[in-house]
Amino acid sequence: MSAKAWLGGDVTTFAHCIVANNPSPLTYVGTNTWILGAPGAQGCVVVDPGPDDADHIERVVAHVKATDRHVAAIVTTHAHADHAGGVRALSVLTGAPAFARADDTLPIGAFHVPDVGVSLEVLPLPGHSSDSAGIFVAEDGSVLTGDMIFAQSSTMVCWPDGVLADYMESLDALARFVEEKGVERLLTGHGYVIENPSERIMRARAHRMKRLNQVVAAVRSGIPARAEDIVDAVYNDVDPSLAQGAKRSVNAQLRYAFDKGLLEEH
């Protein structure tokens, strides 16, 4: 997939995406800020305001004003700075309250925001981080997934806050939710919309298990159970700029393998 192809914009009738100018090996072309609301509604919900970047926040505010709405609520899928860094600035500019799992202000289940014309439901999706959550938009069958899953790449389990066992359980929970609710698409935290959610979740799970099996096999073959050694042996197909992220994922995999009895911890 071409990084230049994803520019955001109107994705569904109820969801508009503004891409922050914070490209990096971990953020792809930038963080996706989602603006949710029904056509003609007085208000909207901003999900993941992005980094603490004045230009990006101004673009978000300008779009909301151009659609004759106000920001009724600010929600973050998790507390990492590339998603939540701009919360305070946006809240100050708009007067909108902010909600997050990290401080227990974002409840699991139905999340009612007046004047936005959409029905929202919060799903716990820990794994990438302990506070990761998804937002279901019932009107158009979309789930905002933060950094849990991407169309263009795998994600990182940010150990020690992120836990692989939680991540695997969240993949399974999301797969069940997609099936039960007839979810049509996943609106991700970076890059492309996932239009084939069940298939993509299955492939993400298979990829994670493949990596886990590679790590376990490497240690059993005599490679030290240290992230640095395993990344050199197993992740030689990963861009060097992602080495630190790979080490965090390997540590999460080692912890999982120790806890599940796949490897003996020394």
Side-chain angles (χ1 to χ4, degrees):
M1 294 180 177
S2 170
K4 294 181 179 180
W6 175 247
L7 300 174
D10 289 328
V11 175
T12 75
T13 303
F14 303 91
H16 180 88
C17 179
I18 298 177
V19 183
N21 185 26
N22 62 331
S24 76
L26 291 177
T27 59
Y28 195 49
V29 294
T31 301
N32 290 337
T33 294
W34 294 98
I35 301 173
L36 307 177
Q42 295 179 345
C44 64
V45 177
V46 176
V47 179
D48 288 348
D52 185 11
D53 178 85
D55 290 341
H56 179 64
I57 298 301
E58 287 178 7
R59 288 170 59 208
V60 172
V61 171
H63 173 82
V64 172
K65 288 182 177 179
T67 55
D68 295 320
R69 295 182 289 183
H70 68 276
V71 179
I74 303 166
V75 174
T76 49
T77 59
H78 61 298
H80 290 170
D82 58 318
H83 292 259
V87 167
R88 185 176 182 278
L90 183 61
S91 182
V92 168
L93 282 173
T94 64
F99 301 88
R101 293 293 301 148
D103 60 8
D104 293 324
T105 55
L106 184 65
I108 296 300
F111 180 62
H112 178 68
V113 182
D115 301 328
V116 299
V118 291
S119 303
L120 305 178
E121 182 177 347
V122 180
L123 319 173
L125 296 174
H128 170 73
S129 65
S130 61
D131 66 329
S132 287
I135 314 294
F136 175 53
V137 185
E139 282 73 11
D140 66 0
S142 298
V143 177
L144 283 71
T145 53
D147 283 358
M148 180 189 178
I149 192 169
F150 303 129
Q152 67 277 352
S153 66
S154 61
T155 191
M156 179 172 63
V157 177
C158 294
W159 184 88
D161 179 53
V163 176
L164 182 56
D166 290 346
Y167 182 76
M168 301 302 284
E169 290 175 6
S170 290
L171 281 177
D172 293 342
L174 183 59
R176 290 192 299 270
F177 190 89
V178 165
E179 181 67 23
E180 291 168 4
K181 299 289 187 178
V183 173
E184 297 181 15
R185 67 191 64 81
L186 305 179
L187 308 182
T188 66
H190 303 279
Y192 302 86
V193 172
I194 295 173
E195 303 282 3
N196 54 340
S198 294
E199 178 188 344
R200 183 67 189 97
I201 293 168
M202 181 176 63
R203 287 195 290 115
R205 199 182 201 290
H207 172 79
R208 194 63 57 177
M209 291 306 298
K210 177 182 177 182
R211 284 300 197 197
L212 176 65
N213 291 336
Q214 288 174 329
V215 168
V216 170
V219 175
R220 288 177 177 173
S221 73
I223 294 173
R226 293 192 299 262
E228 296 82 359
D229 298 290
I230 293 172
V231 167
D232 289 342
V234 173
Y235 283 72
N236 48 25
D237 59 338
V238 171
D239 190 302
S241 63
L242 297 173
Q244 290 303 315
K247 289 177 184 177
R248 297 184 77 171
S249 286
V250 166
N251 277 319
Q253 290 160 347
L254 287 171
R255 184 72 266 158
Y256 182 92
F258 294 146
D259 291 345
K260 296 293 184 180
L262 301 174
L263 294 173
E264 183 178 353
E265 186 172 8
H266 297 287

